[in-house]
Amino acid sequence: MQSWLRETLLVLPIIAGTAGVSAQELAGGCRLTIGAEVYNVPVGKPFAVQIGEQRVTMRIDPRSQTDFTIEGVSFSHPASLVAETPVDEGGVAIWAIQGPSSAIMLQRYDGELAPESLLKVLADNIAEQYGKQPIQRQAVQLRGADRTYPGQQLRVSTTAASGQGATAGQGVAEGTAVDLVQNVFTFASGDRVYALIVQDTRPAGGGETPEYQETLRLLGETLKTAPSTPKPAASATPQRSVPRRR
């Protein structure tokens, strides 16, 4: 009796640009292990393997984007941007995602803060970091998946420094003249206030980097935040003071 084998196409996404694996390295193929069998297979092209009595056609594609979700804030970003370990500095939680030319930073602030006030404070603080260097400032907006986020853009000409990631131009030689663009957006999500900073480091006088363009495109298509939930107002009844013991 003839045994008929069903053939099925399975597409397996893998992430390029993370774990030290570049898209160029993936182009040379990869090793696929199924049970005790090991196959050297191409990336982006169909190939067939035998699983029991079933012949399966597969294709492994590099994944071009990565999803980020935290506390009701979610978005996608290019896979070339890699998330760093979150930190907490003085009560401000920080999530940084760094790429060769661009970066995203999400900051969460506790306490009674208005997004509009936070925007002005952050933009002024960034401007102060550059001292007397000329800075271009303008109002900008980021249209997310379900709302629009007001912000400020700051642009300054500076030189790349070593060991600072995309902040000073990762992948750019130390001392190279660059234009640094930082977009600061603030918003309420749930009962917290957040700042989203999107940055691009480009050669002096050059235009937007492709990574930055893709970062903005994905943020515009996918950025979602929770509805604002005002914190309960403090009680109007004055608290009784407790006298100190002498």
Side-chain angles (χ1 to χ4, degrees):
M1 180 180 295
Q2 187 173 8
S3 174
W4 295 93
L5 304 179
R6 291 188 306 159
E7 188 163 320
T8 307
L9 176 64
L10 299 179
V11 179
L12 308 178
I14 55 178
I15 300 176
T18 60
V21 180
S22 68
Q24 289 77 12
E25 291 171 324
L26 288 176
C30 61
R31 181 172 296 175
L32 176 67
T33 301
I34 301 177
E37 300 295 329
V38 179
Y39 304 88
N40 292 317
V41 300
V43 174
K45 298 179 181 180
F47 60 91
V49 296
Q50 192 79 22
I51 303 178
E53 294 188 351
Q54 184 175 7
R55 182 180 176 83
V56 180
T57 299
M58 298 183 176
R59 189 180 74 238
I60 298 178
D61 291 335
R63 186 177 178 184
S64 61
Q65 65 189 57
T66 303
D67 299 328
F68 175 92
T69 302
I70 191 74
E71 300 177 351
V73 179
S74 64
F75 55 83
S76 297
H77 60 81
S80 57
L81 275 66
V82 180
E84 299 183 349
T85 303
V87 297
D88 192 306
E89 297 182 357
V92 179
I94 302 174
W95 296 268
I97 310 172
Q98 298 272 9
S101 62
S102 300
I104 300 172
M105 180 180 293
L106 181 68
Q107 301 177 345
R108 185 197 67 211
Y109 292 81
D110 296 327
E112 302 296 333
L113 281 172
E116 299 80 6
S117 300
L118 178 61
L119 176 60
K120 184 178 186 308
V121 169
L122 288 178
D124 288 346
N125 286 346
I126 292 174
E128 288 178 4
Q129 293 178 7
Y130 297 102
K132 297 182 179 180
Q133 291 179 265
I135 297 179
Q136 301 177 39
R137 292 178 62 162
Q138 64 175 342
V140 291
Q141 288 185 335
L142 175 62
R143 292 184 176 88
D146 52 10
R147 58 191 279 203
T148 298
Y149 305 86
Q152 284 275 326
Q153 183 183 90
L154 297 93
R155 183 190 302 253
V156 62
S157 296
T158 184
T159 55
S162 63
Q164 295 183 0
T167 301
Q170 182 180 353
V172 178
E174 182 179 358
T176 302
V178 295
D179 289 338
L180 181 63
V181 177
Q182 292 174 296
N183 303 279
V184 184
F185 307 97
T186 56
F187 55 88
S189 180
D191 61 354
R192 305 288 183 88
V193 174
Y194 295 82
L196 178 68
I197 302 173
V198 186
Q199 181 175 285
D200 192 30
T201 305
R202 59 192 67 160
E208 299 176 348
T209 64
E211 186 177 63
Y212 175 71
Q213 293 175 340
E214 182 66 4
T215 298
L216 290 181
R217 183 187 71 81
L218 288 173
L219 285 173
E221 292 180 356
T222 64
L223 176 59
K224 294 183 179 180
T225 56
S228 175
T229 305
K231 293 184 178 180
S235 172
T237 304
Q239 299 292 323
R240 295 179 57 187
S241 60
V242 179
R244 294 182 180 178
R245 291 185 178 181
R246 296 184 178 179

